[in-house]
Amino acid sequence: MSRKKSNGGLRFQPAGGNRTAQVPVGKKQRLQIERLAGDGRGIAFLEGRTWFVSGALGGEDVEARVLGARGKIVDARLERVFQASAERREAPCKHYQRCGGCNLQHLPHADQLALKQRLLAEQLQRVAGLQPQAWAAPLSGPEFGYRRRARVAVRWDPKARQLEVGFRAEASQDIIAIDDCAVLVQPLQTLLRHLPTVLRSLDKPQALGHVELFSGTAEALLLRHVAPLPAEDLARLDAFCREAGAQLWLQGEGEPAPVDAAGKLGFALEPWGLELAWRPGDFVQVNAQVNTLMIQQALAWLAPQAHERVLDLFCGLGNFALPLARAAREVVAVEGVQAMVERAATNARDNDVHNARFFQADLSQPLVGAGWVAEGFSAVLLDPPRDGAYEVVQGIHRLGAKRLVYVSCNPATLARDAQVLAGQGYRLKRAGILDMFPQTAHVEAMALFEAD
């Protein structure tokens, strides 16, 4: 026997009551942009939702296309400007509308610096209730032609039977075909220009993963591959690199390795007569000019004396430790990864630096127990990753350091850690931005703390 519906077409609501309809991807919406967010996107408010619009500037009347939505947050991309900000400029790069690499080319460089300075000041004030006794001028180099390292996306399209080579699009896995990039240093621009042709000439392009380019004491091309490469393809790649004057490095399942084991790869710190060896996969600052300025300012602020013992935390390859050793009696440098500790120690030895010692330690934990901690320090330099150094700074006053320089790639965690330092009697004497990534909203900063 069949049952008749007795609810008269009643519609049941899902648990939790009414749900707000999501904004569909691709929808176009006219918006009034109020200001810029910390990541450089324009902020607009409409019908209870907050819109983040890449490519937009404060005060503009724009049309935006939705890239995605979650709850009351909408991510969008600028499509059209009805009323432009007086600050707006024509983006110098022809790929700007699609490439996800740079997001502030529509803003003049001087205004980019002012934005980053404001974002740093807001974080310090909002999170820590602090402002420095003095603001340092921004450390900045050329706004283009600065990047000495780049990662190039490579993907085989089996349906079209073609190899895609370029950079990732914004908020997408799409690869934008690019054979020129204005932010790269000139040697890498030359490599990139000819790279797609040689990769597409290979017999087994589906074996390719991605490519990394590096320029320092030599140029290098690292090819990551997901399957063995035929001998003919290796020969083509080797010939291409030899003609371009670049080293060829390969990486399959193991660590990166040079095809020519005799090749040396590194970067110079010329003011200190240093040359640091580097391998693909190691961290290195992408902006050589600003890196040099950053080290010079850190040393000037920390002012290590010939009788002092200095601690360098998150030391990496020795980027700060070796220049510090030129001025201090002793430098103790600490890093979380043992392989980096060994490479930094080798860099010290190869540069005839004998007053720097290198140790491995878990820097996500407080500094306790190690013998080198108990001896104390006159000054400390920290250069942590984006997560900051919250656990490390908790008891840093016990080291006895009167001066501390904190180099940060995340103003939010710098502000959080600055509050901890202030609670231990350290005053924020100076702060300023480091323009390591022009044309982007990425903010790096330096702060000097002094004990009461």
Side-chain angles (χ1 to χ4, degrees):
M1 184 174 86
S2 64
R3 293 188 179 184
K4 293 183 180 179
K5 295 179 181 178
S6 60
N7 60 16
L10 178 65
R11 295 181 180 180
F12 292 95
Q13 293 290 341
N18 293 328
R19 292 181 178 176
T20 304
Q22 286 291 359
V23 182
V25 173
K27 173 183 170 64
K28 293 183 179 180
Q29 180 65 56
R30 189 161 180 170
L31 299 165
Q32 297 291 327
I33 305 299
E34 294 200 6
R35 63 181 187 273
L36 290 185
D39 60 4
R41 293 184 294 174
I43 299 179
F45 302 96
L46 181 69
E47 298 176 353
R49 290 186 172 91
T50 302
W51 293 64
F52 292 91
V53 183
S54 61
L57 294 175
E60 292 189 327
D61 178 5
V62 306
E63 181 180 71
R65 180 188 294 272
V66 176
L67 299 174
R70 58 196 185 283
K72 295 187 178 296
I73 302 297
V74 182
D75 298 316
R77 174 79 186 181
L78 179 72
E79 287 282 308
R80 183 180 176 188
V81 178
F82 297 106
Q83 181 65 46
S85 164
E87 294 179 319
R88 177 172 290 278
R89 71 172 180 182
E90 188 71 24
C93 177
K94 65 182 180 181
H95 304 292
Y96 179 67
Q97 290 298 323
R98 299 194 63 205
C99 178
C102 300
N103 67 339
L104 281 185
Q105 284 196 17
H106 57 287
L107 190 63
H109 191 218
D111 294 318
Q112 294 179 28
L113 296 177
L115 170 65
K116 295 175 183 183
Q117 184 80 28
R118 176 174 64 80
L119 294 174
L120 174 61
E122 288 177 352
Q123 287 284 357
L124 287 170
Q125 181 61 50
R126 182 177 62 84
V127 176
L130 296 174
Q131 60 179 358
Q133 293 182 14
W135 282 105
L139 291 188
S140 184
E143 62 170 314
F144 292 101
Y146 69 84
R147 192 178 181 101
R148 61 179 172 183
R149 186 179 183 183
R151 178 168 175 165
V152 182
V154 177
R155 182 173 60 207
W156 172 252
D157 185 339
K159 292 184 177 179
R161 297 200 59 79
Q162 68 179 17
L163 189 71
E164 298 176 327
V165 182
F167 294 128
R168 298 284 182 187
E170 180 186 16
S172 170
Q173 291 299 307
D174 291 346
I175 296 176
I176 309 302
I178 292 176
D179 58 6
D180 63 325
C181 178
V183 297
L184 299 185
V185 295
Q186 191 58 53
L188 296 192
Q189 291 190 36
T190 301
L191 270 175
L192 181 63
R193 192 171 302 121
H194 301 288
L195 180 64
T197 300
V198 68
L199 294 182
R200 290 174 181 139
S201 73
L202 302 182
D203 294 333
K204 196 176 179 180
Q206 55 268 45
L208 305 181
H210 68 262
V211 172
E212 293 183 24
L213 305 177
F214 176 79
S215 179
T217 53
E219 279 65 58
L221 183 156
L222 169 67
L223 177 65
R224 298 183 186 267
H225 53 92
V226 297
L229 295 170
E232 296 80 2
D233 287 353
L234 286 173
R236 290 190 184 98
L237 289 165
D238 189 49
F240 168 72
C241 287
R242 288 180 182 275
E243 184 176 352
Q247 298 177 20
L248 175 61
W249 289 63
L250 300 174
Q251 184 176 15
E253 295 181 356
E255 292 294 313
V259 170
D260 181 359
K264 292 184 178 181
L265 187 60
F267 61 96
L269 298 177
E270 294 181 358
W272 303 276
L274 299 166
E275 184 175 308
L276 277 64
W278 175 91
R279 294 174 61 88
D282 293 345
F283 173 77
V284 62
Q285 295 287 3
V286 303
N287 192 321
Q289 295 97 323
V290 174
N291 184 55
T292 296
L293 294 173
M294 175 181 72
I295 298 170
Q296 289 175 327
Q297 180 169 281
L299 266 64
W301 288 11
L302 204 61
Q305 303 299 305
H307 65 280
E308 292 184 322
R309 189 168 186 257
V310 178
L311 177 63
D312 175 16
L313 296 173
F314 308 92
C315 70
L317 295 170
N319 191 52
F320 286 106
L322 272 60
L324 279 169
R326 297 289 199 223
R329 173 177 63 84
E330 181 185 17
V331 173
V332 172
V334 186
E335 174 59 54
V337 180
Q338 182 60 35
M340 296 295 283
V341 172
E342 294 169 1
R343 288 176 196 168
T346 299
N347 279 330
R349 184 176 63 251
D350 291 347
N351 283 277
D352 202 26
V353 174
H354 303 293
N355 61 330
R357 294 191 293 154
F358 297 85
F359 299 93
Q360 188 276 333
D362 182 357
L363 295 177
S364 66
Q365 301 299 321
L367 297 177
V368 293
W372 49 264
V373 173
E375 299 176 43
F377 299 90
S378 300
V380 178
L381 185 143
L382 302 94
D383 184 14
R386 290 189 59 80
D387 290 344
Y390 184 73
E391 295 297 336
V392 166
V393 299
Q394 289 293 325
I396 209 161
H397 66 285
R398 299 190 190 99
L399 301 178
K402 298 298 184 183
R403 308 181 306 282
L404 186 148
V405 164
Y406 191 128
V407 180
S408 169
C409 58
N410 185 350
T413 53
L414 168 61
R416 178 202 65 196
D417 295 349
Q419 185 178 36
V420 175
L421 290 168
Q424 298 176 62
Y426 285 96
R427 291 165 291 139
L428 179 56
K429 297 286 289 185
R430 298 180 195 168
I433 65 166
L434 316 172
D435 190 31
M436 197 69 73
F437 298 89
Q439 314 311 324
T440 80
H442 184 80
V443 182
E444 303 225 351
M446 184 182 297
L448 170 65
F449 299 86
E450 291 185 358
D452 291 331

